[in-house]
Amino acid sequence: MTAITTTVTRLQATGRRPQVAIVLGSGWDGIADAVQDAIDIPYAELPAFPALSVAGHAGALRLGRIGGHEVALLRGRKHVYESGDAAAMKGPIRTLAALGCATVVLTNAAGSLDSSMRPGSLMLIGDHLNIVQRTPLHDEPGDARFVNMADAYDPALRQRAKDAASAAGIALHEGVYAWVLGPQFETPAEIRMLQRLGAQAVGMSTVPETILARHAGLRVLGLSMLTNMGCGMEAEVLSHAHTLQTAGATRALAARLLQAVVPALLPPLP
Ligand code: HPA
């Protein structure tokens, strides 16, 4: 049996049938407290899931319900910068698809490239720039690897998310997310380049997961928490501690957004 088959079997034995999966990036973990009937399975018990190393990520799968809907929360992700492996999240994404999830919500912390989008605010990802030009699909056989990336961030789900945020009174920007490899932050010249290329946010995750999810036939919703302005835009000095500090301060708002948005993602679109 492959690692994915073993992991799917292990998760099916819980009797849970998650319809929506949420990958929780820095600052987004507050929603975990709102899950009812939660059961936790450490990634270490799931052979298709990665071992994690970044502070602020719990490394466990939480299955339960939000607003009456079955969900799977991935509390932490493996970044490509940790190993150089662009397919680091292949196991989890394919496991979720095999479990029957139709939709995945990918969340992250990102730097803002737009002076009107302030640290501590939230952004819906409308599209992305794969600046790294790496793919998690390089060893995929067959024509399915030529994934159509038009509407990678599902327009109907985006509309549902915007409506739900607005009904909950939560401001939600929308913009293009640029994936950089990291773990070093950008130079001021790189930030100016990304602005000219049309990005509103920059971060070190999500894009490979979006590609994997689209390849697996999942619909994707992407959400960024803007934790800082891009390097050189303002006087602040960037650090991972600074990202985690703003993420902590925005944690409750992010949890409220997900509590409003997740129920709106169901029923699944045809
Ligand atoms: N750049 C890249 N990744 C990030 C940033 C940033 O400014 N902030 C949070 N993640």
Side-chain angles (χ1 to χ4, degrees), residues 79-115:
H79 301 83
V80 179
Y81 64 69
E82 294 175 71
S83 63
D85 179 9
M89 289 296 285
K90 181 160 104 178
I93 297 290
R94 296 209 175 151
T95 297
L96 294 165
L99 267 181
C101 279
T103 303
V104 62
V105 182
L106 302 174
T107 67
N108 60 50
S112 171
L113 304 176
D114 179 332
S115 44

Side-chain angles (χ1 to χ4, degrees), residues 112-119 121 173 200 226 229 233-234:
S112 171
L113 304 176
D114 179 332
S115 44
S116 71
M117 297 187 186
R118 306 304 304 168
S121 64
H173 303 294
Q200 280 75 45
L226 304 172
M229 301 309 293
M233 290 176 70
E234 292 183 359

Side-chain angles (χ1 to χ4, degrees), residues 1-9 47-48:
M1 281 217 281
T2 66
I4 292 174
T5 319
T6 311
T7 306
V8 170
T9 306

Side-chain angles (χ1 to χ4, degrees), residues 159-201:
Q159 191 57 51
R160 289 188 187 186
K162 284 191 265 194
D163 292 345
S166 137
I170 301 169
L172 187 59
H173 303 294
E174 184 167 8
V176 172
Y177 173 91
W179 174 39
V180 294
L181 185 57
Q184 74 285 348
F185 286 105
E186 300 69 47
T187 63
E190 286 166 343
I191 291 296
R192 292 192 297 273
M193 171 189 79
L194 295 171
Q195 288 171 322
R196 283 176 197 163
L197 292 178
Q200 280 75 45

Side-chain angles (χ1 to χ4, degrees), residues 11 14-21 61-64 69-73 96 99-103:
L11 294 175
T14 64
R16 306 296 175 94
R17 294 289 176 267
Q19 297 169 281
V20 176
L61 185 68
R62 175 165 287 188
L63 301 175
H69 298 298
E70 295 228 29
V71 296
L73 264 50
L96 294 165
L99 267 181
C101 279
T103 303

